[in-house]
Amino acid sequence: MEHITLLLAIVVVTALVFDFTNGFHDTANAMATTISTGAMKPKTAVAMSAVLNLIGAFLSVEVAKTISGGIVNEDGIRTEVIFAALVGAILWNLLTWLVGLPSSSSHALFGGLIGAAVMSAGWSSINGGTVVTKVLLPAIAAPLVAGIAAMLATRLTYRINRNVTDPNQQKSTAKGYRAGQIASAGLVSLAHGTNDAQKTMGIITLALVTSGVLAPGSNPPMWVIVSAGIAIALGTYLGGWRIIRTMGKGLTDLQPPQGFAAQTSAATVILASSHLGFSLSTTQSCSGAVMGAGLGRKGGVVRWSTATRMFVAWGLTLPAAGLVGAGAEFLTKQGPWGIAVTAVILVGGSFAIWLASRRQPVDHTNVNDTDDATADEPQGVVTTAMAAVAPPPTAGAVAELSTTIPAPASDDTPRPTATV
């Protein structure tokens, strides 16, 4: 600790700020479906999630090692590069939180790190193989695997309970699924702490290595693990209510069995990836699972316009955060005044985004209110197309339309009725 300089201390604090934004940005991953179905009260849900995020931070360091010694080459990377990367990640996190889009905090961090490293040392500083195998491929596979698993689990769940018709049994089943939702939400929270808290641990460890405090390949020190776990837990407790609303109400309308299926599927994918050291996006995994659960219920509808905006945000995250990170690194290369300007931009941009959020605040009291734009949104091109190709009525249905229409009355000659 005695070797920590002022710049390194600033980087560590900035990394913990990112960890804090990661917490409230990704609270929706674990608790959006639980809150939207009424299985838990909003404040209780985020408090439970915060505690489990903290516990999860102590379970593994595999993802942290992937970041600290895998994505970029440690040789030649300066501490200023880490600071610039965090600036790009934090600003993108806050911007997507403002508009309520569940983008990936992980990819924001990776994008900022890649952009800053390229600006500092060129493309040779990036381990392309690691980026492809442990970042890009999991980004594509995770939401698909979680979505398919959730869709199949939802269909199986409704099939198992299709013969439950007694009202008392239905109430008992609903209570059981709500309890299952709470348990699965806790599992997702634990998995989120295991996966996402480690990303900040990895960044701080990388900064310590570039400053000569730690040897290359070192595991995160205990004080790094503890501070990262506390930061993400505090952010989770505050609750990213805007994104919770989008995940819980904006993508699809979920019932307790769907919420249980979605969260269980997502938790399985996240925990498996953490064990393998794949630094995937918990946001993408949970979003894919929610959409899969929406498609798995008969009559369920996914709001594809909302999903499309989310997909666009996913695609923009890496390059957008990378550009901001590269710009911040260009400034930090100019010396102390450049670092000061970058810090001012970070603080000023964050404050401006917070002020903009106060115009239409979202908190635990209105998180389940449906946004007007979402409420009036059509069910989507898939549903519309299915309705357009509905088969014509059968002969029996036509026969049921037959009725007798009396003819107009006449003063002179009575007329028979006409049958159609």
Side-chain angles (χ1 to χ4, degrees):
M1 296 288 289
E2 66 272 15
H3 300 291
I4 292 183
T5 63
L6 176 61
L7 176 59
L8 182 56
I10 293 174
V11 171
V12 170
V13 171
T14 307
L16 294 177
V17 170
F18 166 78
D19 203 24
F20 178 83
T21 66
N22 190 354
F24 76 73
H25 198 279
D26 290 0
T27 307
N29 297 341
M31 291 302 169
T33 58
T34 305
I35 292 172
S36 67
T37 60
M40 293 185 74
K41 294 181 179 180
K43 294 293 287 184
T44 305
V46 296
M48 185 185 84
S49 183
V51 172
L52 292 172
N53 264 266
L54 178 60
I55 295 173
F58 293 89
L59 298 183
S60 173
V61 294
E62 292 302 318
V63 175
K65 290 193 292 185
T66 296
I67 295 174
S68 63
I71 293 178
V72 298
N73 297 319
E74 297 167 341
D75 297 336
I77 295 297
R78 302 175 300 117
T79 307
E80 292 89 334
V81 174
I82 313 301
F83 178 57
L86 291 167
V87 171
I90 291 172
L91 290 178
W92 182 256
N93 261 2
L94 292 176
L95 183 62
T96 50
W97 162 77
L98 176 64
V99 296
L101 286 177
S103 69
S104 170
S105 298
S106 307
H107 289 179
L109 180 60
F110 300 150
L113 184 59
I114 291 171
V118 170
M119 175 60 69
S120 175
W123 287 102
S124 61
S125 63
I126 306 300
N127 294 324
T130 302
V131 172
V132 171
T133 58
K134 292 201 172 184
V135 177
L136 296 182
L137 291 181
I140 297 173
L144 291 176
V145 172
I148 293 172
M151 182 176 67
L152 295 177
T154 299
R155 291 183 176 179
L156 177 63
T157 297
Y158 279 102
R159 179 174 292 274
I160 292 174
N161 293 282
R162 67 184 183 277
N163 294 325
V164 178
T165 56
D166 181 72
N168 292 328
Q169 288 183 332
Q170 290 177 340
K171 290 181 180 179
S172 178
T173 302
K175 289 181 180 178
Y177 278 118
R178 286 191 173 90
Q181 265 197 282
I182 295 172
S184 59
L187 190 60
V188 174
S189 297
L190 193 69
H192 182 259
T194 304
N195 197 282
D196 278 41
Q198 289 188 59
K199 293 160 188 171
T200 299
M201 298 177 203
I203 282 292
I204 295 177
T205 303
L206 180 58
L208 294 173
V209 169
T210 59
S211 300
V213 177
L214 292 178
S218 298
N219 287 335
M222 180 54 65
W223 69 267
V224 173
I225 297 174
V226 172
S227 59
I230 292 175
I232 200 169
L234 288 175
T236 301
Y237 180 71
L238 285 184
W241 303 111
R242 292 172 179 272
I243 300 175
I244 290 176
R245 174 185 285 183
T246 299
M247 287 274 284
K249 293 292 186 180
L251 280 175
T252 185
D253 296 320
L254 293 179
Q255 297 176 353
Q258 293 171 280
F260 173 69
Q263 290 171 314
T264 303
S265 302
T268 302
V269 171
I270 296 167
L271 287 172
S273 69
S274 297
H275 177 71
L276 296 173
F278 291 147
S279 186
L280 57 71
S281 166
T282 55
T283 299
Q284 292 179 357
S285 300
C286 293
S287 299
V290 168
M291 287 187 285
L295 294 173
R297 176 171 64 88
K298 185 178 181 181
V301 173
V302 173
R303 298 183 178 92
W304 292 109
S305 61
T306 301
T308 300
R309 292 194 297 270
M310 185 177 66
F311 295 151
V312 171
W314 289 359
L316 289 177
T317 296
L318 268 172
L323 287 174
V324 177
E329 169 57 15
F330 176 79
L331 287 175
T332 61
K333 289 171 66 174
Q334 310 308 313
W337 71 266
I339 297 174
V341 170
T342 304
V344 170
I345 291 174
L346 174 61
V347 174
S350 302
F351 184 68
I353 292 172
W354 180 80
L355 285 180
S357 72
R358 295 299 87 199
R359 296 176 182 175
Q360 292 182 329
V362 180
D363 55 27
H364 66 282
T365 62
N366 62 356
V367 66
N368 279 332
D369 294 346
T370 303
D371 184 74
D372 292 339
T374 301
D376 297 335
E377 180 182 297
Q379 292 183 334
V381 294
V382 176
T383 307
T384 303
M386 292 175 63
V389 297
T394 62
V398 173
E400 291 177 359
L401 296 175
S402 176
T403 185
T404 300
I405 305 174
S410 173
D411 294 338
D412 299 327
T413 306
R415 299 178 185 273
T417 58
T419 300
V420 180

